[in-house]
Amino acid sequence: MITMNNVSKHYGSFQVLTECSTQVQKGEVIVVCGPSGSGKSTLIKVVNGLEPFQSGEIIVNGLSVGDPKTNLSKLRSMVGMVFQNFELFPHMSIIDNLCIAQTKVLHRTQEVARDKGLKLLERVGLSAQAAKFPGQLSGGQQQRVAIARALAMDPICMLFDEPTSALDPEMVNEVLDVMTELAREGMTMMCVTHEMGFAKRVASRVIFMDQGRIVEDDSKEAFFANPRSERAQQFLAKILHH
Amino acid sequence: MGYNWNWGVFLQPTASGGDTYLGWMIHGFKTTIALSLSAWLIALALGAVVGVLRTVPNKVLSGIATAYVEVFRNIPLLVQLFLWYFVMPELLPEKLGSAFKQSNPFVQQFLSSMVCLALFTSARVAEQVRSGINSLPPGQKNAGLAMGFTLSQTYRHVLLPMAVRLIVPPLTSEFLNIFKNSAVCSTIGLLELAAQGRQLVDYTAQPYESFIAVTLAYLLINVVVMFGMRWLEARVRVPGYIGGK
């Protein structure tokens, strides 16, 4: 479903990604981890073209992301994305946040979009909040709305960019629960996260990055039991302590 | 102080006949309002477009918008007014230029003043729009694009609605400024409020009454604008966001 071949990206002389290659099959859940500044967020953002890259090739569902002829908006509408800071649209009610792209991008009618939105809100346990505004919800609730908003587009895969990093510790689990459920239902997912418990529970594979390179790309069993690189061993030793 | 107060002067017929001095003041007041409001509407529309262009990734478009802002912001208003009134008609295609010069003097003065105030203010509005857009979290644009919106849809549905709300307070002061700046247009002979005040002094030698009336009239306009904008600010407030409930 997602294929990356030797993708490199730099800002001026600063190399952000160096020849990254990987593949994500339908239904796989990939957890991307690594120290900060290692390029994990960028790796996710090049997949739907939010960040341009200079060389290499990314194919999503048969479409080449780097090709100027590709309709990026169309491609992005098929790829759900969830951000660290939720990025709900603050001037719209929760239900309007879920409907706006359905009506403006997929050209669904208001009724169809609303039905879909309400169903998804129910699924993430937030039906009661439909008429509220994002600023009136807790961080965990906002992130669940953001996931529902992405799902409303019927995406073929989902990208998560540190979805729990900006949350109070108490709210992390409510978001991870929604993501776990999604993974169990067979959604194709790429998640940048430091939640190793989540990775152990649902990941099919773990990608470990350091200094813009994919250092490890292995099954979760192999990664957690026996990381090959020294950098990954150090990383795991540090974050698995607590 | 040997000054003879005479508030009754406003009700006297003017020396040139046909109207009272109060009638002159009201006429000037109406001209100031019509000029400022029409220029303000143009400034808002143009300023929004230029402000947005300053933030787009396309270097050529943002460069043009930057040049526009710098030109209209950095030339003194009075000089711009003289350029529009005295120089511009000469630069127009001959037919248009002579049609302009043969039109009613009031129309010439009004049009030049309107264009001048509108463009001068639009550069300032553009700066507010740009700073409003830039003050939004950068993730908002990405969130819009990631939903499948095109760049213009992202501006339309995501960035502008919030940016405009954020800049209502600074826009209020631009709106107040345009009324005050309109007094400059008396220099090309447009009989707006300030010019009528001066004319009244020339005719009646009652400067205190005249300029107190002019001052009160400007004050009235600004109080109305301030309350109007405050009402607008409260109306568009987003629940749970800056200043909202």
Side-chain angles (χ1 to χ4, degrees):
Chain A
M1 172 147 312
I2 302 173
T3 309
M4 300 177 109
N5 283 326
N6 294 319
V7 173
S8 296
K9 173 183 176 62
H10 55 82
Y11 295 111
S13 64
F14 182 69
Q15 196 75 24
V16 197
L17 295 177
T18 309
E19 297 185 349
C20 294
S21 301
T22 189
Q23 281 197 3
V24 183
Q25 307 298 333
K26 191 170 189 322
E28 273 192 313
V29 176
I30 310 295
V31 164
V32 182
C33 61
S36 61
S38 60
K40 11 182 233 308
S41 282
T42 311
L43 187 78
I44 292 256
K45 285 182 182 149
V46 293
V47 170
N48 64 351
L50 281 184
E51 293 276 0
F53 52 95
Q54 280 85 20
S55 65
E57 178 188 52
I58 303 176
I59 308 286
V60 178
N61 200 33
L63 293 167
S64 169
V65 178
D67 186 345
K69 287 197 287 281
T70 301
N71 182 343
L72 265 186
S73 298
K74 183 135 194 280
L75 185 146
R76 287 174 182 143
S77 72
M78 302 188 299
V79 178
M81 185 153 195
V82 175
F83 298 85
Q84 182 173 2
N85 293 312
F86 333 131
E87 306 299 352
L88 295 177
F89 306 138
H91 58 288
M92 291 179 203
S93 66
I94 298 303
I95 186 69
D96 288 344
N97 262 280
L98 270 77
C99 289
I100 178 97
Q102 291 190 67
T103 52
K104 303 292 175 194
V105 177
L106 301 180
H107 305 293
R108 290 178 181 157
T109 65
Q110 191 62 40
E111 294 80 60
V112 172
R114 207 183 147 77
D115 271 4
K116 176 110 194 163
L118 288 172
K119 269 192 201 121
L120 284 163
L121 277 184
E122 196 180 329
R123 177 169 163 185
V124 298
L126 293 170
S127 301
Q129 321 292 339
K132 289 200 180 157
F133 283 75
Q136 298 169 310
L137 267 53
S138 72
Q141 289 174 323
Q142 289 193 54
Q143 195 60 298
R144 281 144 68 198
V145 172
I147 295 172
R149 179 175 72 173
L151 291 175
M153 303 295 283
D154 293 319
I156 55 170
C157 63
M158 291 277 285
L159 307 173
F160 292 85
D161 184 9
E162 304 207 26
T164 57
S165 303
L167 294 175
D168 285 344
E170 315 182 65
M171 296 172 179
V172 169
N173 279 332
E174 61 187 78
V175 171
L176 289 180
D177 287 347
V178 171
M179 290 169 62
T180 304
E181 200 186 307
L182 204 57
R184 299 242 154 96
E185 285 166 16
M187 175 61 79
T188 312
M189 295 161 59
M190 271 183 99
C191 313
V192 174
T193 181
H194 299 296
E195 299 294 335
M196 290 300 126
F198 171 78
K200 282 180 176 168
R201 246 178 299 146
V202 299
S204 341
R205 272 179 21 235
V206 177
I207 289 177
F208 178 79
M209 293 190 70
D210 186 35
Q211 297 183 351
R213 289 174 191 277
I214 294 182
V215 181
E216 310 234 355
D217 183 352
D218 222 335
S219 73
K220 71 172 168 196
E221 291 80 9
F223 179 75
F224 285 114
N226 194 13
R228 280 169 302 183
S229 67
E230 203 179 315
R231 189 67 188 87
Q233 286 167 11
Q234 287 170 0
F235 179 78
L236 282 176
K238 275 185 194 144
I239 64 167
L240 290 181
H241 264 314
H242 43 93
Chain B
M1 189 168 71
Y3 185 76
N4 289 320
W5 289 92
N6 177 17
W7 288 102
V9 69
F10 290 108
L11 299 177
Q12 289 167 12
T14 62
S16 51
D19 203 350
T20 59
Y21 289 113
L22 182 65
W24 276 9
M25 295 299 266
I26 290 172
H27 191 261
F29 184 75
K30 283 184 186 161
T31 306
T32 289
I33 302 256
L35 171 66
S36 305
L37 282 184
S38 56
W40 177 244
L41 292 179
I42 300 170
L44 275 185
L46 259 175
V49 173
V50 175
V52 165
L53 288 183
R54 283 205 76 179
T55 65
V56 298
N58 185 317
K59 291 273 185 305
V60 176
L61 288 177
S62 67
I64 292 172
T66 304
Y68 177 94
V69 168
E70 295 307 336
V71 165
F72 287 104
R73 201 169 56 153
N74 290 327
I75 301 176
L77 179 60
L78 188 63
V79 175
Q80 289 192 37
L81 182 65
F82 288 169
L83 287 173
W84 284 111
Y85 185 64
F86 295 114
V87 180
M88 202 54 202
E90 308 298 329
L91 301 178
L92 287 172
E94 204 175 319
K95 263 192 181 162
L96 203 61
S98 61
F100 180 82
K101 280 178 263 182
Q102 280 159 21
S103 66
N104 180 333
F106 175 79
V107 172
Q108 291 181 38
Q109 292 154 355
F110 191 90
L111 283 181
S112 303
S113 301
M114 184 179 79
V115 171
C116 171
L117 280 177
L119 298 193
F120 177 79
T121 309
S122 73
R124 305 177 58 94
V125 170
E127 278 304 273
Q128 309 289 2
V129 170
R130 178 182 72 96
S131 71
I133 292 171
N134 286 344
S135 70
L136 298 174
Q140 286 280 301
K141 182 175 161 194
N142 275 347
L145 293 175
M147 306 289 299
F149 285 141
T150 59
L151 187 62
S152 60
Q153 281 179 316
T154 303
Y155 272 96
R156 160 85 182 74
H157 299 297
V158 179
L159 301 178
L160 281 175
M162 274 317 288
V164 167
R165 284 172 166 89
L166 291 178
I167 61 171
V168 171
L171 276 187
T172 304
S173 79
E174 291 308 328
F175 197 8
L176 294 173
N177 277 344
I178 206 167
F179 286 100
K180 292 181 276 182
N181 288 339
S182 70
V184 167
C185 302
S186 62
T187 55
I188 58 167
L190 183 71
L191 285 174
E192 43 66 70
L193 188 52
Q196 292 286 17
R198 214 176 47 202
Q199 182 169 245
L200 198 132
V201 178
D202 292 343
Y203 276 69
T204 65
Q206 297 286 354
Y208 287 13
E209 292 83 345
S210 166
F211 282 112
I212 287 172
V214 168
T215 304
L216 290 177
Y218 279 116
L219 205 65
L220 173 71
I221 293 172
N222 283 355
V223 167
V224 170
V225 167
M226 243 165 52
F227 277 101
M229 292 298 271
R230 247 183 234 171
W231 171 83
L232 180 72
E233 199 182 331
R235 233 195 97 109
V236 299
R237 198 165 280 174
V238 170
Y241 206 75
I242 317 166
K245 335 180 188 94

